[in-house]
Structures are given as structure tokens and as C-alpha cells.
Amino acid sequence: MPYLLVSTVIRLGSGPTMIGDVDTTTEEIASAVDAELKQELGHAVPEWTSPHPPGKVLNILEKLGWHVQSTAGVGQTLVWTLYKE
């Protein structure tokens, strides 16, 4: 599991921030960013959601050894791909 996706809706830059999914997000990651597993209406799978803005989440993940590999805008969503050695 060396890759992790972090995303947010652009107009909600102050949070919430989504971190990975049920298969890639560990309890260590979820606890560090105060994330809860939520099932949004209309979404096929639940996702880990942190109340913190993306900048804070990315800073916390960096302290855990994750590094941003790339960033992309997808419609109204901003997505970061993180990698851990």
C-alpha cells in the first residue's frame, strides 16, 4: 500500500478532506487526521473523511512519512497522490 489519494471539493478548501478508501487508509492514518469512515448518499463505497482542511491533512501525513507525488484538478475536486517508501 505505498499510494494514497487525498481529495477535497475545491469550493470547500477549509474541509472536509477525503483520505484514501476502505482498502488503503489504515487506523494510524485515520486517527492522525481525525477521520471517520462515512458512506455518502449515492456513493458506492464509504470513504475516510477528515474535518480538517487539505493543507493540515497533508502536513500531518508528511510527518507520517507520506510525500505528494502529484496533484490534479478533476472537475470541482482537487486530488493529491501521496507515496510512502
Side-chain angles (χ1 to χ4, degrees):
M1 178 202 58
Y3 290 97
L4 181 68
L5 291 180
V6 174
S7 65
T8 192
V9 176
I10 292 171
R11 61 183 168 74
L12 300 176
S14 61
T17 303
M18 283 57 79
I19 300 95
D21 57 35
V22 294
D23 295 325
T24 61
T25 302
T26 64
E27 289 295 326
E28 176 192 24
I29 293 169
S31 176
V33 298
D34 302 321
E36 295 180 5
L37 192 60
K38 295 184 178 180
Q39 177 80 38
E40 295 291 329
L41 184 63
H43 289 205
V45 295
E47 57 192 0
W48 289 96
T49 304
S50 171
H52 304 301
K56 182 174 184 175
V57 169
L58 292 171
N59 287 335
I60 292 168
L61 292 173
E62 183 178 34
K63 289 178 184 175
L64 295 177
W66 292 92
H67 303 283
V68 173
Q69 289 292 114
S70 66
T71 304
V74 182
Q76 292 292 314
T77 303
L78 189 54
V79 179
W80 295 267
T81 303
L82 282 74
Y83 180 79
K84 185 174 184 178
E85 294 290 329

